[in-house]
Amino acid sequence: MEHGLIPGEELVGGIDLFSTIESGQTYCWRREDGRTYESTERGGWYTTVVDGEVLRVRQVEAGLEWEATTDPVDRLTYLLRLDDDLDAILAATPEDPLIGEAYRTHRGLRLVRDPPFRCLISFICSAQMQVPRIHRMQVALSETFGEAVAVDGETYHAFPTPERLARASEEELRELSLGYRAPYVKATAEMVAAGEAHPEEALGLGYEAARESLTRFVGVGEKVADCVLLFSLGYLQAVPLDTWIRSAIEEHYPECDRGNYRETSRAIRERFGGEYAGYAQTYLFHHLRTGAATA
DNA sequence: CCGTACCCTAGTTT
DNA sequence: AAAACTAGGGTAC
Protein backbone atom coordinates (compact mmCIF):
# COMPACT_ATOMS: atom_id res chain seq x y z
CA MET A 1 0.00 0.00 0.00
CA GLU A 2 1.02 3.58 -0.53
CA HIS A 3 1.28 5.84 2.47
CA GLY A 4 1.31 9.54 3.18
CA LEU A 5 0.13 12.40 5.35
CA ILE A 6 -2.48 15.11 5.18
CA PRO A 7 -0.95 17.96 7.21
CA GLY A 8 -3.14 19.19 10.04
CA GLU A 9 -2.63 22.83 9.08
CA GLU A 10 -4.53 22.21 5.83
CA LEU A 11 -7.69 21.37 7.79
CA VAL A 12 -9.46 24.59 8.69
CA GLY A 13 -10.86 24.18 12.19
CA GLY A 14 -8.89 20.99 12.79
CA ILE A 15 -9.84 17.34 12.86
CA ASP A 16 -10.86 14.97 15.65
CA LEU A 17 -10.88 11.60 13.94
CA PHE A 18 -12.21 9.69 16.92
CA SER A 19 -15.24 11.96 17.33
CA THR A 20 -15.83 12.08 13.60
CA ILE A 21 -15.89 8.32 13.16
CA GLU A 22 -17.27 7.09 16.47
CA SER A 23 -20.02 9.64 17.08
CA GLY A 24 -22.71 7.42 15.61
CA GLN A 25 -22.95 9.14 12.22
CA THR A 26 -20.97 6.60 10.18
CA TYR A 27 -20.65 2.84 10.35
CA CYS A 28 -18.24 2.47 7.44
CA TRP A 29 -15.01 2.27 9.42
CA ARG A 30 -13.41 -0.49 11.44
CA ARG A 31 -10.94 -0.01 14.24
CA GLU A 32 -7.61 -1.75 14.19
CA ASP A 33 -8.25 -3.25 17.62
CA GLY A 34 -11.57 -4.75 16.53
CA ARG A 35 -13.63 -2.71 18.99
CA THR A 36 -16.99 -1.62 17.70
CA TYR A 37 -17.42 1.96 18.86
CA GLU A 38 -18.05 1.00 22.48
CA SER A 39 -14.84 2.26 24.03
CA THR A 40 -13.72 5.79 24.72
CA GLU A 41 -10.17 4.89 23.80
CA ARG A 42 -8.75 7.01 21.01
CA GLY A 43 -6.09 6.41 18.46
CA GLY A 44 -5.19 3.62 16.10
CA TRP A 45 -6.01 2.96 12.50
CA TYR A 46 -9.47 3.09 10.97
CA THR A 47 -10.03 1.07 7.82
CA THR A 48 -12.71 1.08 5.15
CA VAL A 49 -13.20 -0.34 1.66
CA VAL A 50 -14.72 1.96 -0.94
CA ASP A 51 -15.01 1.15 -4.66
CA GLY A 52 -12.78 -1.88 -4.14
CA GLU A 53 -9.98 0.25 -2.68
CA VAL A 54 -8.72 -0.25 0.86
CA LEU A 55 -7.95 2.88 2.79
CA ARG A 56 -6.65 3.31 6.28
CA VAL A 57 -6.28 6.48 8.28
CA ARG A 58 -5.14 7.49 11.74
CA GLN A 59 -4.65 10.71 13.60
CA VAL A 60 -1.10 11.70 14.44
CA GLU A 61 0.29 14.91 15.80
CA ALA A 62 1.15 16.22 12.34
CA GLY A 63 -2.28 15.49 10.87
CA LEU A 64 -3.87 12.46 9.25
CA GLU A 65 -1.60 9.61 8.30
CA TRP A 66 -2.91 7.31 5.57
CA GLU A 67 -2.24 3.99 3.87
CA ALA A 68 -4.15 2.93 0.78
CA THR A 69 -4.15 0.89 -2.38
CA THR A 70 -4.41 4.08 -4.45
CA ASP A 71 -3.84 7.71 -3.51
CA PRO A 72 -6.77 8.32 -1.16
CA VAL A 73 -6.47 12.04 -0.50
CA ASP A 74 -9.41 13.10 -2.67
CA ARG A 75 -11.48 10.21 -1.36
CA LEU A 76 -10.67 10.95 2.27
CA THR A 77 -11.39 14.61 1.73
CA TYR A 78 -14.78 13.66 0.37
CA LEU A 79 -15.67 10.99 2.95
CA LEU A 80 -14.58 12.95 6.02
CA ARG A 81 -15.50 16.42 4.71
CA LEU A 82 -11.93 17.59 5.20
CA ASP A 83 -12.70 20.55 2.95
CA ASP A 84 -15.35 21.93 5.32
CA ASP A 85 -14.30 25.20 6.93
CA LEU A 86 -15.21 24.27 10.51
CA ASP A 87 -14.42 27.70 11.87
CA ALA A 88 -16.88 29.32 9.51
CA ILE A 89 -19.53 26.65 10.05
CA LEU A 90 -19.36 26.81 13.83
CA ALA A 91 -19.38 30.59 13.74
CA ALA A 92 -22.63 30.46 11.73
CA THR A 93 -24.53 28.86 14.62
CA PRO A 94 -26.41 31.23 16.95
CA GLU A 95 -24.94 31.71 20.42
CA ASP A 96 -26.11 28.97 22.75
CA PRO A 97 -24.59 27.62 25.98
CA LEU A 98 -25.17 23.93 25.24
CA ILE A 99 -24.11 24.02 21.58
CA GLY A 100 -21.14 26.19 22.50
CA GLU A 101 -20.04 23.65 25.07
CA ALA A 102 -20.42 20.81 22.56
CA TYR A 103 -18.36 22.72 19.96
CA ARG A 104 -15.58 23.48 22.43
CA THR A 105 -15.47 19.95 23.84
CA HIS A 106 -15.37 18.11 20.55
CA ARG A 107 -13.61 20.61 18.32
CA GLY A 108 -12.56 18.97 15.09
CA LEU A 109 -15.59 16.71 14.76
CA ARG A 110 -16.63 16.74 11.13
CA LEU A 111 -19.71 15.44 9.39
CA VAL A 112 -19.17 12.62 6.89
CA ARG A 113 -20.23 11.73 3.35
CA ASP A 114 -20.96 8.02 3.46
CA PRO A 115 -21.76 6.10 0.27
CA PRO A 116 -25.57 6.45 -0.10
CA PHE A 117 -26.69 2.82 -0.21
CA ARG A 118 -24.43 1.87 2.65
CA CYS A 119 -25.66 4.80 4.70
CA LEU A 120 -29.27 3.92 3.96
CA ILE A 121 -28.86 0.32 5.12
CA SER A 122 -26.90 1.21 8.24
CA PHE A 123 -29.57 3.65 9.41
CA ILE A 124 -32.39 1.21 8.67
CA CYS A 125 -30.49 -1.05 11.04
CA SER A 126 -30.23 1.74 13.60
CA ALA A 127 -33.90 1.68 14.61
CA GLN A 128 -34.10 1.18 18.38
CA MET A 129 -30.52 0.16 18.51
CA GLN A 130 -27.35 1.31 20.21
CA VAL A 131 -24.23 2.49 18.41
CA PRO A 132 -21.95 -0.52 19.09
CA ARG A 133 -24.60 -2.98 17.97
CA ILE A 134 -25.39 -1.03 14.79
CA HIS A 135 -21.69 -1.18 14.02
CA ARG A 136 -21.54 -4.91 14.72
CA MET A 137 -24.43 -5.48 12.31
CA GLN A 138 -22.60 -3.62 9.53
CA VAL A 139 -19.44 -5.64 10.16
CA ALA A 140 -21.50 -8.84 10.03
CA LEU A 141 -23.19 -7.77 6.78
CA SER A 142 -19.81 -7.01 5.19
CA GLU A 143 -18.16 -10.22 6.32
CA THR A 144 -21.10 -12.37 5.27
CA PHE A 145 -22.16 -10.77 1.99
CA GLY A 146 -19.40 -8.34 1.05
CA GLU A 147 -16.65 -9.01 -1.44
CA ALA A 148 -13.28 -9.92 0.08
CA VAL A 149 -10.28 -7.78 -0.84
CA ALA A 150 -6.83 -9.14 -0.05
CA VAL A 151 -3.99 -6.68 0.44
CA ASP A 152 -0.55 -7.45 1.91
CA GLY A 153 -1.78 -10.72 3.37
CA GLU A 154 -4.74 -9.08 5.11
CA THR A 155 -8.34 -9.64 4.06
CA TYR A 156 -10.80 -6.75 4.06
CA HIS A 157 -14.47 -6.79 3.17
CA ALA A 158 -16.39 -4.36 1.04
CA PHE A 159 -19.96 -3.52 2.00
CA PRO A 160 -22.38 -5.80 0.12
CA THR A 161 -23.97 -4.62 -3.10
CA PRO A 162 -27.74 -4.06 -3.32
CA GLU A 163 -27.95 -7.14 -5.53
CA ARG A 164 -26.26 -9.36 -2.96
CA LEU A 165 -28.40 -8.10 -0.08
CA ALA A 166 -31.52 -8.53 -2.20
CA ARG A 167 -30.54 -12.16 -2.74
CA ALA A 168 -30.00 -12.81 0.97
CA SER A 169 -32.92 -14.46 2.72
CA GLU A 170 -34.70 -12.78 5.59
CA GLU A 171 -33.58 -15.69 7.75
CA GLU A 172 -29.92 -15.16 6.84
CA LEU A 173 -30.25 -11.51 7.78
CA ARG A 174 -31.93 -12.38 11.07
CA GLU A 175 -28.99 -14.62 11.88
CA LEU A 176 -26.89 -11.46 11.88
CA SER A 177 -29.06 -10.08 14.71
CA LEU A 178 -30.96 -7.65 12.53
CA GLY A 179 -34.25 -8.70 14.11
CA TYR A 180 -37.34 -7.05 12.64
CA ARG A 181 -35.07 -4.86 10.52
CA ALA A 182 -34.13 -7.89 8.37
CA PRO A 183 -37.14 -7.70 6.03
CA TYR A 184 -36.71 -3.92 5.78
CA VAL A 185 -33.10 -4.28 4.65
CA LYS A 186 -34.01 -6.96 2.14
CA ALA A 187 -36.95 -5.03 0.70
CA THR A 188 -34.94 -1.82 0.39
CA ALA A 189 -32.04 -3.66 -1.25
CA GLU A 190 -34.52 -5.20 -3.70
CA MET A 191 -35.85 -1.77 -4.63
CA VAL A 192 -32.35 -0.50 -5.35
CA ALA A 193 -31.21 -3.67 -7.13
CA ALA A 194 -34.28 -3.61 -9.35
CA GLY A 195 -33.55 -0.02 -10.33
CA GLU A 196 -36.89 0.99 -8.88
CA ALA A 197 -35.35 3.62 -6.63
CA HIS A 198 -31.96 4.85 -5.48
CA PRO A 199 -31.16 7.07 -2.49
CA GLU A 200 -29.11 9.39 -4.70
CA GLU A 201 -32.27 10.37 -6.52
CA ALA A 202 -33.04 12.64 -3.58
CA LEU A 203 -30.15 14.86 -4.69
CA GLY A 204 -31.36 17.95 -6.44
CA LEU A 205 -34.66 17.99 -4.58
CA GLY A 206 -35.34 20.63 -1.97
CA TYR A 207 -34.66 19.51 1.58
CA GLU A 208 -38.17 18.51 2.65
CA ALA A 209 -39.00 16.93 -0.69
CA ALA A 210 -35.75 14.96 -0.49
CA ARG A 211 -36.69 13.68 2.96
CA GLU A 212 -40.10 12.68 1.74
CA SER A 213 -38.62 10.88 -1.25
CA LEU A 214 -36.35 8.76 0.93
CA THR A 215 -39.26 7.52 3.04
CA ARG A 216 -40.42 5.32 0.17
CA PHE A 217 -37.73 2.83 1.14
CA VAL A 218 -38.96 0.15 3.51
CA GLY A 219 -37.83 0.79 7.05
CA VAL A 220 -37.21 4.47 6.39
CA GLY A 221 -39.27 7.05 8.23
CA GLU A 222 -38.53 10.74 8.71
CA LYS A 223 -35.71 10.26 11.20
CA VAL A 224 -33.75 7.74 9.14
CA ALA A 225 -34.36 9.83 6.01
CA ASP A 226 -32.83 12.83 7.78
CA CYS A 227 -29.78 10.74 8.69
CA VAL A 228 -29.20 9.77 5.06
CA LEU A 229 -29.63 13.38 3.95
CA LEU A 230 -27.15 14.62 6.54
CA PHE A 231 -24.53 11.86 6.64
CA SER A 232 -24.49 10.94 2.97
CA LEU A 233 -26.16 13.42 0.66
CA GLY A 234 -24.78 16.68 2.03
CA TYR A 235 -28.00 18.28 3.29
CA LEU A 236 -26.25 19.98 6.20
CA GLN A 237 -29.46 21.60 7.37
CA ALA A 238 -31.03 18.23 8.28
CA VAL A 239 -31.56 17.63 12.01
CA PRO A 240 -32.52 14.00 12.69
CA LEU A 241 -34.91 13.96 15.65
CA ASP A 242 -33.80 10.93 17.61
CA THR A 243 -34.49 10.31 21.28
CA TRP A 244 -31.37 12.21 22.41
CA ILE A 245 -32.23 15.31 20.43
CA ARG A 246 -35.89 15.06 21.41
CA SER A 247 -35.00 15.03 25.08
CA ALA A 248 -32.60 17.93 24.54
CA ILE A 249 -35.44 19.84 22.91
CA GLU A 250 -37.71 19.05 25.82
CA GLU A 251 -35.15 20.25 28.33
CA HIS A 252 -33.37 23.11 26.57
CA TYR A 253 -35.53 24.27 23.64
CA PRO A 254 -39.12 23.49 24.68
CA GLU A 255 -40.49 26.24 22.44
CA CYS A 256 -39.28 24.21 19.45
CA ASP A 257 -41.47 21.22 20.33
CA ARG A 258 -44.36 21.55 17.89
CA GLY A 259 -45.88 18.13 18.49
CA ASN A 260 -45.03 16.54 15.16
CA TYR A 261 -41.79 15.72 13.35
CA ARG A 262 -42.11 18.15 10.47
CA GLU A 263 -42.85 21.27 12.45
CA THR A 264 -40.48 20.46 15.30
CA SER A 265 -37.79 19.82 12.72
CA ARG A 266 -38.43 23.20 11.14
CA ALA A 267 -38.29 24.97 14.48
CA ILE A 268 -35.08 23.35 15.72
CA ARG A 269 -33.45 23.80 12.33
CA GLU A 270 -34.22 27.49 12.58
CA ARG A 271 -32.99 27.57 16.18
CA PHE A 272 -29.67 26.02 15.12
CA GLY A 273 -29.09 28.57 12.40
CA GLY A 274 -30.55 26.88 9.33
CA GLU A 275 -27.90 26.09 6.74
CA TYR A 276 -25.54 24.16 9.04
CA ALA A 277 -28.07 23.02 11.65
CA GLY A 278 -27.02 19.41 11.09
CA TYR A 279 -23.54 20.23 12.36
CA ALA A 280 -25.02 21.51 15.61
CA GLN A 281 -27.16 18.36 15.84
CA THR A 282 -24.19 16.04 15.43
CA TYR A 283 -22.03 17.86 17.97
CA LEU A 284 -24.93 17.94 20.40
CA PHE A 285 -25.74 14.27 19.89
CA HIS A 286 -22.14 13.25 20.50
CA HIS A 287 -21.87 15.59 23.47
CA LEU A 288 -24.96 14.17 25.15
CA ARG A 289 -24.15 10.57 24.33
CA THR A 290 -20.63 10.78 25.73
CA GLY A 291 -22.05 12.24 28.93
CA ALA A 292 -19.81 15.30 28.71
CA ALA A 293 -22.64 17.84 28.91
CA THR A 294 -22.84 20.10 31.94
CA ALA A 295 -24.58 23.14 30.46
C1' DC B 1 -52.89 11.57 13.58
C1' DC B 2 -52.69 7.84 17.16
C1' DG B 3 -51.62 3.25 19.15
C1' DT B 4 -49.35 -1.07 18.97
C1' DA B 5 -46.27 -4.81 17.52
C1' DC B 6 -41.80 -5.84 16.29
C1' DC B 7 -36.02 -8.35 17.30
C1' DC B 8 -32.38 -8.70 20.14
C1' DT B 9 -28.86 -7.93 23.68
C1' DA B 10 -26.90 -6.17 27.84
C1' DG B 11 -27.76 -4.50 32.15
C1' DT B 12 -30.83 -4.22 36.17
C1' DT B 13 -34.30 -5.87 39.18
C1' DT B 14 -37.08 -9.52 41.33
C1' DA C 1 -29.01 -18.09 40.74
C1' DA C 2 -32.39 -18.14 37.29
C1' DA C 3 -36.02 -15.58 35.52
C1' DA C 4 -38.50 -11.35 34.63
C1' DC C 5 -38.00 -6.69 33.29
C1' DT C 6 -36.23 -2.60 30.80
C1' DA C 7 -34.42 0.26 27.37
C1' DG C 8 -32.03 1.22 23.35
C1' DG C 9 -30.41 6.85 17.75
C1' DG C 10 -38.16 4.06 14.83
C1' DT C 11 -41.15 2.23 11.40
C1' DA C 12 -45.11 -0.29 9.45
C1' DC C 13 -49.73 -1.18 9.73
Side-chain angles (χ1 to χ4, degrees), chain A residues 110-132:
Chain A
R110 286 167 185 274
L111 281 168
V112 295
R113 272 189 278 241
D114 279 355
F117 177 69
R118 188 167 186 173
C119 182
L120 181 65
I121 296 298
S122 59
F123 281 94
I124 289 172
C125 291
S126 79
Q128 295 213 247
M129 198 42 60
Q130 0 185 21
V131 168

Side-chain angles (χ1 to χ4, degrees), chain A residues 116-126 134 138 141 159-160 165 178 184-186 188-189 228:
Chain A
F117 177 69
R118 188 167 186 173
C119 182
L120 181 65
I121 296 298
S122 59
F123 281 94
I124 289 172
C125 291
S126 79
I134 301 164
Q138 308 314 302
L141 285 173
F159 191 74
L165 281 184
L178 266 65
Y184 299 167
V185 166
K186 181 172 170 60
T188 287
V228 175

Side-chain angles (χ1 to χ4, degrees), chain A residues 58-104:
Chain A
R58 70 171 171 179
Q59 182 146 22
V60 293
E61 197 143 340
L64 293 179
E65 186 181 1
W66 57 259
E67 294 181 353
T69 43
T70 64
D71 187 330
V73 172
D74 287 349
R75 207 188 294 276
L76 281 173
T77 301
Y78 185 85
L79 292 171
L80 302 176
R81 301 197 71 104
L82 301 179
D83 47 350
D84 277 351
D85 181 339
L86 280 188
D87 290 337
I89 289 170
L90 272 48
T93 307
E95 285 293 325
D96 178 272
L98 187 59
I99 300 294
E101 184 180 69
Y103 280 166
R104 287 191 300 278

